[in-house]
């Protein structure tokens, strides 16, 4: 049962002078104080001819008084200075004796009246000034529609921010007197019993709340148009716009809860993204659209400029404390979730990326907790707030796919094996597991994710677009124009081993700001080609595809030169070449997916069929489906050959192996399957509103909510008890191929493991990769697609052994041991992630 709201009606409020709310009310009181305005008007009228009246005073005094007079002349009635001690000082300065009969220029009566105004402990505020500010308080903070009048007038409603409570501020107290009674309430009775799930994504962040068993998506910045929103409007852009950063920081830090921040100072999501699309020149530096990449990078410091030119310097995410954009994003997201229309939510579930280190995931959770706590109204028991990392992103998506496609009615105690190919904006994650009926009477199902920590760090839809933009830039007939016009560029945010920046020459350092702008302009140009590829397009001949796509765009694009001037570049885009690159990179991802599956070994014992679910917005591409189907046939053929071999050896039949590829949720193909396979699905009742629709992107938050802990029914998550897993395979280069020496499973954190016997060299070179294809059949991974690491020893150590010791998931210590097993030399810590370029600005 919902707790009864604690409501009251007030006509005055006492606050510490330094409280931010007191400052806001003081501004409103000054605005409405007619006596102060009257005194200002009298003084300004009297200042006419002031110069002549003080002509007999010494020159130094004249200069001082004229400076004061100028300040007073330009004051406006609503300026905060008009009702302040500063204005009293001005009056006292101007109360000089200016004539022979020694009459003061400012009458003593005016000064006494103003002193009385300042000493009055009751500051009178008119409701006509207060009411609009109260109703617009969240409109100013986050842009939602102003509250309706009944919030203040209805006895059953009331405003949170004026409810009397201890404020913790010391010093002089002020009593604000209202000219009418005002309804206020504590938020304790507005606490909702539901939960909120958040998927903090590379390009988009998805949020949904659960109330009365009906999960509902949130759109940040578009709620007033809820009835007209499509699927993509609930995919909230993960972007921040720094407008007046210093002011935002001051406002943000002034209160522990619901500070009086303004959207005009720091914008997020849809609103910020719309501004980003219009940005030009230095305006581009106001935007930070790679929050999640920054959170996953190693010690990456970045800088921005806000609208006023103020420099915003950010440390690496792990060292970032107060000035933390992830926290700010979470705070503003929390303001959308927790307000006087919707109520208060205190239980939050976060997904986490499988490729991030534990410390990074925990830091993301901590940042979200701080931001969400800040968004809550004062007067709550803060111990009730829960912000938990509950499921990995692919495991959460698996729950949604299993539910949507009707597996709840098909599963038994033997279980269903599944695989997730989560093709997102920045990375691709793999995950595998078993879904089965639960033997626990408190649960219906068990989900056992294997959590391989495998995937492709760079393979994401947005990163692929940057790679294609780079390929378009260096296209031979384009690169000549780029050099001639001095069109700068930057390296794409992609695996450095998959492209060569040499063709760019000095264009990559010529003007980084304009280079980033040019990269994004080429990405925007290519986005329709990539996102609108159809299955029919994949069957076209190169010439047919070229003619089709060439007819869709203008033959000229305008880019920025090194001086920021517009230059027209004639385009002759080689679309078949770009499609071939897309195919090559996606094939690499799919090959690694099946290699990861093969390396699971004993975990797959008894598996005769694997259900493959495609997640992430990039998985909508028909190219991915085509490549997967091709590889499934190859894998089945290999398995059949192996099966025949085992039959001839053992004389016994092995079970068949099958794979089923399921379409991304939210696509027409998926909807048709759901109608056939899931008789309980609400799709049978007609079209589903976008705010309740499970798609390949929103499926993560729906899975988080479905996978919540509950005492009856639901899903038990069976997690493996494993120590943190090292991320990389270590090896050497042989014949230009990567020769693996240490599988990452052999590298235990905190344990020394032998890497090589040393000769008479003072430098040691090895290579590493996180790709499962390093252990694929044939071992044909090119060494150029791995990362090289060179360690300089203090001297040669012949007949010694080189060992490595993992410090965490991506950090190694290098040591040299003698034949007695004694450590004789230890290199400083090497962070392998730091060797990989990450382009965030």
């Amino acid at each position: 049962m919902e707790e009864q709201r604690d409501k009251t009606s007030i006509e005055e409020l006492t606050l510490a002078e330094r409280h931010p709310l007191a400052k806001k009310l003081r501004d409103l009181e000054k605005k409405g104080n007619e006596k102060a305005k009257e005194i200002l008007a009298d003084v300004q009228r009297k200042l006419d001819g002031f110069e002549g009246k003080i002509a007999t005073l010494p020159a130094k005094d004249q200069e001082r008084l004229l400076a004061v007079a100028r300040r007073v002349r330009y004051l406006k009635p609503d300026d905060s200075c008009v009702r302040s001690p500063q204005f009293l000082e001005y009056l006292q300065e101007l109360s000089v004796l200016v004539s022979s009969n020694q009459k003061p220029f400012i009458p003593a009566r005016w000064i006494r009246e103003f002193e009385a105004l300042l000493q009055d402990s009751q500051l009178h505020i008119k409701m006509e000034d207060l009411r609009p500010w109260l109703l617009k308080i969240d409109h100013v903070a986050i842009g939602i529609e102003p509250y309706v009048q009944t919030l203040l007038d209805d006895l059953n409603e009331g405003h949170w921010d004026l409810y009397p409570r201890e404020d913790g501020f010391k010093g002089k107290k002020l009593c604000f007197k209202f000219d009418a009674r005002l309804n206020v309430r504590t938020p304790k009775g507005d606490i909702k019993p539901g939960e909120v799930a958040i998927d903090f994504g590379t390009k988009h962040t998805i949020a949904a709340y659960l109330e009365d068993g009906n999960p509902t998506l949130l759109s940040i910045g578009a709620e007033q148009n809820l009835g007209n929103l499509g699927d993509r409007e609930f995919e909230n852009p993960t972007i921040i716009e720094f407008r007046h950063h210093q002011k935002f920081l001051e406002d943000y830090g002034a209160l522990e809860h619901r500070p009086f921040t303004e959207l005009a100072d720091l914008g997020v999501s849809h609103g910020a993204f719309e501004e980003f699309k219009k940005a030009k020149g230095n305006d581009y530096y106001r935007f930070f659209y790679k929050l999640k990449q920054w959170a996953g990078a190693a010690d990456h410091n970045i800088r921005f400029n806000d609208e006023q030119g103020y420099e915003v310097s950010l440390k690496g995410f792990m060292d970032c404390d107060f000035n933390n954009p992830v926290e700010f994003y979470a705070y503003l997201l929390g303001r959308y979730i927790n307000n006087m229309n919707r109520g208060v939510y205190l239980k939050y579930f976060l997904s986490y990326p499988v490729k991030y280190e534990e410390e990074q995931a925990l830091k993301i959770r901590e940042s979200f907790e701080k931001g969400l706590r800040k968004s809550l109204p004062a007067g709550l028991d803060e111990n009730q707030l829960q912000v938990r990392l509950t499921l990995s992103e692919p495991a959460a998506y698996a729950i949604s796919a299993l539910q949507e496609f009707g597996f709840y009615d098909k599963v038994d105690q033997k279980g269903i094996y599944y695989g997730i190919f989560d093709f997102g904006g920045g990375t691709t994650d793999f995950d595998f597991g078993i879904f089965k009926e639960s033997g626990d009477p408190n649960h219906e199902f068990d989900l056992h994710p294997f959590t391989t920590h495998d995937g492709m760090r760079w393979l994401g839809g947005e990163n692929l677009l940057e790679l294609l933009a780079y390929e378009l830039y260096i296209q031979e007939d384009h690169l000549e124009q780029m050099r001639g016009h001095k069109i700068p560029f930057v390296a794409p945010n992609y695996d450095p081993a998959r492209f060569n920046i040499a063709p760019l020459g000095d264009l990559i350092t010529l003007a980084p700001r304009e280079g980033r702008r040019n990269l994004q302009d080429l990405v925007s140009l290519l986005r329709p080609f990539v996102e609108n590829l159809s299955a029919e397009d994949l069957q076209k001949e190169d010439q047919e595809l070229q003619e089709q796509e060439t007819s869709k765009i203008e033959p000229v694009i305008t880019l920025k030169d090194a001086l920021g001037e517009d230059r027209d570049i004639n385009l002759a885009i080689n679309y078949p070449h770009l499609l071939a690159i897309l195919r090559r990179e996606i094939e690499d991802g799919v090959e690694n997916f099946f290699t990861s599956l093969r390396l699971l070994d004993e975990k797959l014992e008894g598996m005769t069929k694997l259900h493959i679910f495609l997640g992430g917005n990039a998985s909508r591409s028909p190219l991915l489906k085509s490549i997967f189907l091709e590889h499934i046939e190859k894998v089945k053929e290999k398995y059949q050959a192996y099966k025949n071999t085992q039959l001839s050896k053992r004389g016994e039949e092995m079970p068949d192996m099958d794979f089923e590829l399921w379409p991304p949720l939210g696509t027409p193909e998926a909807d048709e399957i759901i109608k056939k396979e899931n008789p309980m699905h609400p799709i049978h009742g007609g079209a589903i509103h976008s705010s309740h629709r499970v798609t390949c992107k929103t499926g993560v938050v729906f899975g988080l909510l479905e996978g919540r802990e509950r005492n009856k029914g639901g899903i038990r998550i069976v997690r493996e008890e494993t120590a943190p897993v090292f991320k990389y395979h270590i090896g050497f280069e042989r014949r230009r191929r990567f020769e693996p020496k240490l599988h990452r499973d052999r590298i235990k954190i905190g344990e020394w493991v032998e890497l090589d016997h040393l000769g008479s060299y003072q430098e040691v070179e090895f290579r590493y990769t996180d790709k499962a294809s390093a252990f694929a059949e044939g071992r044909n991974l090119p060494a150029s697609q791995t990362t090289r690491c060179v360690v300089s020893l203090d001297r040669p150590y012949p007949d010694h052994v080189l060992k490595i010791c993992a410090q965490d998931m991506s950090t190694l210590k290098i040591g040299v041991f003698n034949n007695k097993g004694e450590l004789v030399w230890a290199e400083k810590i090497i962070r392998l992630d730091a060797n990989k370029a990450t382009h965030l600005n």
Side-chain angles (χ1 to χ4, degrees):
M1 182 176 177
E2 184 178 304
E3 181 181 343
Q4 200 63 30
R5 287 177 174 174
D6 187 358
K7 301 176 289 294
T8 188
S9 182
I10 63 173
E11 58 183 11
E12 64 180 43
L13 185 64
T14 300
L15 292 166
E17 187 177 28
R18 292 178 54 249
H19 194 289
L21 178 56
K23 295 177 182 178
K24 291 286 183 182
L25 295 178
R26 285 290 300 271
D27 288 342
L28 292 173
E29 187 267 345
K30 292 166 190 172
K31 178 181 178 181
N33 194 291
E34 300 302 325
K35 188 61 180 176
K37 294 178 181 179
E38 180 184 320
I39 293 174
L40 173 66
D42 288 341
V43 173
Q44 288 178 331
R45 280 194 300 270
K46 199 166 177 58
L47 284 175
D48 291 340
F50 181 61
E51 292 84 350
K53 295 177 182 177
I54 60 173
T56 59
L57 296 178
K60 184 177 180 181
D61 291 339
Q62 287 187 48
E63 183 178 348
R64 174 174 55 82
L65 290 168
L66 286 174
V68 173
R70 280 195 297 272
R71 293 192 192 102
V72 174
R73 268 198 182 101
Y74 292 110
L75 284 175
K76 296 178 181 178
D78 291 334
D79 286 347
S80 59
C81 177
V82 175
R83 183 70 158 79
S84 72
Q86 181 67 60
F87 187 67
L88 177 61
E89 291 178 14
Y90 291 160
L91 295 180
Q92 291 168 339
E93 285 274 336
L94 296 174
S95 65
V96 294
L97 303 177
V98 295
S99 60
S100 57
N101 60 1
Q102 299 295 292
K103 282 187 176 181
F105 179 72
I106 297 295
R109 174 175 56 84
W110 292 2
I111 295 178
R112 287 196 301 272
E113 288 176 349
F114 197 82
E115 286 176 335
L117 283 176
L118 292 182
Q119 292 171 2
D120 187 356
S121 61
Q122 287 195 337
L123 305 177
H124 300 275
I125 299 178
K126 295 181 178 180
M127 287 302 294
E128 64 185 60
D129 298 321
L130 177 61
R131 184 177 282 110
W133 179 74
L134 289 174
L135 296 178
K136 290 182 179 180
I137 198 164
D138 282 329
H139 174 73
V140 172
I142 54 174
I144 64 173
E145 287 294 305
Y147 296 112
V148 296
Q149 184 79 23
T150 54
L151 182 76
L152 303 176
D153 297 341
D154 191 330
L155 291 174
N156 292 312
E157 295 295 324
H159 204 285
W160 285 345
D161 295 317
L162 293 188
Y163 190 86
R165 60 179 61 89
E166 290 294 325
D167 57 38
F169 287 84
K170 298 180 180 179
K172 180 182 175 182
K173 298 290 184 180
L174 299 176
C175 179
F176 297 92
K177 186 80 173 178
F178 310 125
D179 63 357
R181 295 192 70 82
L182 186 66
N183 293 317
V184 297
R185 73 177 190 259
T186 175
K188 290 180 180 179
D190 293 316
I191 297 174
K192 298 292 184 179
E195 298 87 1
V196 176
I198 299 172
D199 175 27
F200 178 49
T202 301
K203 187 183 179 188
H204 298 105
T205 293
I206 313 296
Y209 62 96
L210 179 64
E211 193 173 340
D212 300 327
N214 194 15
T216 304
L217 296 168
L218 286 164
S219 179
I220 303 176
E223 288 182 279
Q224 59 269 31
N225 300 315
L226 187 60
N228 300 320
L229 296 182
D231 290 353
R232 291 301 178 95
E233 278 74 21
F234 292 100
E235 298 174 9
N236 305 295
T238 307
I239 184 172
I240 278 184
E241 179 185 6
F242 298 104
R243 294 170 182 162
H244 307 101
H245 186 57
Q246 197 60 34
K247 181 177 179 298
F248 174 83
L249 286 180
E250 291 171 2
D251 292 342
Y252 186 77
L255 274 176
E256 289 299 314
H257 298 283
R258 281 179 60 86
F260 301 125
T261 57
E262 299 184 12
L263 198 61
D265 297 327
L266 188 136
V268 295
S269 197
H270 289 287
F273 185 64
E274 290 304 313
E275 292 299 316
F276 172 71
K277 291 191 291 187
K278 297 183 287 187
K280 297 179 180 178
N282 281 333
D283 291 344
Y284 180 71
Y285 275 140
R286 299 203 314 264
F287 300 91
F288 188 17
Y289 56 91
K290 293 189 176 180
L291 273 75
K292 190 173 181 181
Q293 292 99 317
W294 172 67
D299 306 323
H300 199 98
N301 300 347
I302 50 180
R303 294 185 301 172
F304 299 92
N305 288 330
D306 69 4
E307 199 172 70
Q308 297 175 313
Y310 178 85
E311 186 175 290
V312 182
S313 297
L314 300 178
K315 299 178 182 179
F317 176 62
M318 296 304 295
D319 298 321
C320 203
D321 189 15
F322 178 67
N323 191 11
N324 181 350
V326 176
E327 179 184 332
F328 301 155
Y329 190 91
Y331 157 70
L332 289 171
L333 175 61
R335 289 292 293 260
Y336 276 94
I337 296 168
N338 303 297
N339 55 62
M340 286 175 274
N341 285 333
R342 182 175 287 112
V344 179
Y345 292 83
L346 296 175
K347 187 179 290 187
Y348 295 84
F349 304 144
L350 294 181
S351 60
Y352 55 88
V354 296
K355 296 292 283 183
Y356 280 24
E357 293 188 21
E358 182 180 7
E359 291 81 1
Q360 292 169 317
L362 291 175
K363 177 74 173 182
I364 291 174
R365 190 211 67 79
E366 175 190 312
S367 301
F368 266 83
E369 181 176 347
K370 287 182 178 180
L372 291 168
R373 188 181 304 279
K374 197 82 154 179
S375 76
L376 297 175
L380 298 171
D381 179 1
E382 294 193 16
N383 294 325
Q384 290 182 282
L385 177 65
Q386 299 177 29
V387 182
R388 298 169 52 202
L389 293 169
T390 55
L391 284 169
S392 71
E393 291 162 3
Y397 183 77
I399 291 176
S400 284
L402 290 162
Q403 182 185 40
E404 291 288 294
F405 287 126
F407 283 92
Y408 279 20
D409 294 327
K410 302 173 187 174
V411 70
D412 55 23
Q413 291 187 349
K414 292 182 179 180
I416 292 169
Y417 288 83
Y418 69 86
I420 303 294
F421 190 89
D422 186 4
F423 194 9
T427 61
T428 294
D429 292 330
F430 311 152
D431 204 15
F432 304 90
I434 305 174
F435 179 67
K436 61 175 64 176
E437 283 187 344
S438 180
D440 181 349
N442 291 319
H443 295 88
E444 288 186 86
F445 309 109
D446 287 347
L447 184 81
H448 185 170
F450 296 150
T451 313
T452 63
H453 296 281
D454 273 338
M456 307 292 286
R457 179 180 176 183
W458 308 95
L459 184 64
E462 294 304 305
N463 294 350
L464 279 173
L465 278 167
E466 291 197 12
L467 177 65
L468 294 186
Y470 162 82
E471 292 289 342
L472 177 60
Y473 182 95
I474 66 167
Q475 192 175 306
E476 186 175 355
D477 44 355
H478 295 164
L479 187 57
E480 184 178 348
Q481 297 180 68
M482 304 297 184
R483 288 177 177 149
H485 291 301
K486 294 186 177 179
I487 306 294
F489 206 65
V490 294
N493 187 46
Y494 206 73
D495 186 348
R498 306 292 284 185
F499 64 91
N500 179 15
I501 64 171
L504 296 177
D506 61 357
L507 292 172
I508 200 169
T509 58
L510 198 58
R513 183 191 69 188
E514 283 72 20
R516 295 184 188 99
R517 180 76 266 176
N518 292 334
L519 171 64
Q520 291 305 314
D521 285 346
L522 290 179
V523 163
S524 298
L525 177 73
L526 294 176
R527 187 178 298 278
F529 165 64
V530 173
E531 294 186 351
N532 296 330
L533 271 174
S534 66
E536 292 73 22
D537 293 335
L538 303 181
Q539 306 302 319
K540 289 182 170 66
E541 298 290 336
D542 285 355
Q543 185 61 36
E544 187 181 0
L545 177 66
Q546 181 70 37
E547 291 174 357
Q548 169 188 293
E549 295 300 325
T550 300
S551 65
K552 293 179 182 178
I553 68 165
E554 293 293 328
V556 174
I557 187 173
T558 302
L559 300 176
K560 300 289 184 183
D561 66 15
L563 299 176
E565 300 294 327
D566 290 345
R567 299 291 181 181
D568 290 339
I569 303 298
N570 296 312
L571 295 174
I573 302 174
N574 187 340
Y575 287 103
H577 174 64
L578 297 182
L579 181 58
I581 291 171
L582 266 182
R583 180 180 292 277
R584 179 194 73 194
E585 297 305 308
I586 295 174
E587 279 184 343
D588 189 41
V590 174
E591 287 173 1
N592 275 276
F593 174 85
F594 281 105
T595 302
S596 295
L597 174 67
R598 183 176 60 82
L599 293 175
L600 288 173
D601 293 331
E602 70 277 1
K603 293 182 180 180
L604 301 178
E605 187 176 346
M607 183 183 81
T608 57
K609 184 174 185 177
L610 181 74
H611 296 270
I612 302 172
F613 300 120
L614 303 180
N617 268 336
S619 70
R620 300 173 190 263
S621 170
L623 181 57
L624 177 63
K625 176 183 176 181
S626 172
I627 291 171
F628 247 112
L629 292 176
E630 292 171 7
H631 276 72
I632 284 173
E633 290 305 312
K634 292 178 183 177
V635 171
K636 289 171 71 172
E637 288 174 7
K638 286 183 179 179
Y639 179 80
Q640 186 62 44
Y642 173 74
K643 177 181 172 181
N644 294 337
T645 303
Q646 294 302 304
L647 178 62
S648 62
K649 286 182 178 179
R650 302 178 183 179
E652 58 184 30
E653 182 79 17
M654 289 179 64
D656 290 333
M657 178 65 68
D658 196 10
F659 300 89
E660 185 163 2
L661 183 68
W662 296 81
L665 293 172
T667 60
E669 187 180 359
D671 289 346
E672 288 303 312
I673 294 175
I674 290 169
K675 289 176 183 177
K676 295 177 183 177
E677 302 289 340
N678 191 348
M680 298 299 293
H681 198 280
I683 198 170
H684 296 286
I688 299 173
H689 190 272
S690 298
S691 60
H692 302 295
R693 187 163 167 75
V694 185
T695 69
C696 53
K697 181 60 181 173
T698 66
V700 173
V701 291
F702 284 103
L704 286 173
L705 294 174
E706 175 66 14
R708 69 191 184 280
E709 291 183 0
R710 37 188 158 156
N711 60 328
K712 286 292 182 184
I715 300 171
R716 179 176 61 165
I717 309 300
V718 183
R719 293 182 174 87
E720 296 178 318
E721 295 295 330
T722 58
V725 180
F726 191 68
K727 291 199 309 192
Y728 297 104
H729 309 293
I730 308 293
F732 303 98
E733 181 177 352
R734 292 284 188 274
R735 298 185 180 183
R736 305 186 72 178
R737 296 182 180 88
F738 177 74
E739 181 180 277
K741 177 67 181 289
L742 294 174
H743 189 283
R744 67 179 185 202
D745 289 346
R746 286 187 56 200
I747 305 173
K748 307 298 183 184
I749 293 176
E751 297 180 9
W752 287 102
V753 59
E754 182 178 322
L755 179 62
D756 196 20
H757 284 272
L758 294 172
S760 58
Y761 301 101
Q762 193 167 338
E763 284 192 338
V764 179
E765 179 178 317
F766 64 89
R767 287 186 170 270
Y768 61 95
T769 180
D770 60 355
K771 293 181 179 179
S773 56
F775 287 85
E777 295 174 317
R779 305 284 172 86
N780 283 320
L781 179 66
S784 61
Q785 294 182 21
T786 64
T787 304
R788 185 172 72 109
C789 184
V790 179
V791 180
S792 297
L793 309 178
D794 61 336
R795 63 176 179 82
Y797 285 91
D799 301 321
H800 283 65
V801 174
L802 183 74
K803 294 185 179 182
I804 59 175
C805 178
Q807 306 297 292
D808 56 34
M809 293 174 70
S810 61
T811 306
L812 289 179
K813 182 189 288 185
I814 309 295
V816 176
F817 289 74
N818 61 23
N819 56 11
K820 298 179 181 179
E822 299 169 331
L823 178 65
V824 296
W825 180 88
E827 166 66 342
K828 63 182 180 179
I829 302 298
I830 298 176
R831 189 171 178 86
L832 301 186
D833 278 353
N835 280 354
K836 288 179 170 284
T838 303
H839 311 287
L840 298 176
N841 289 63

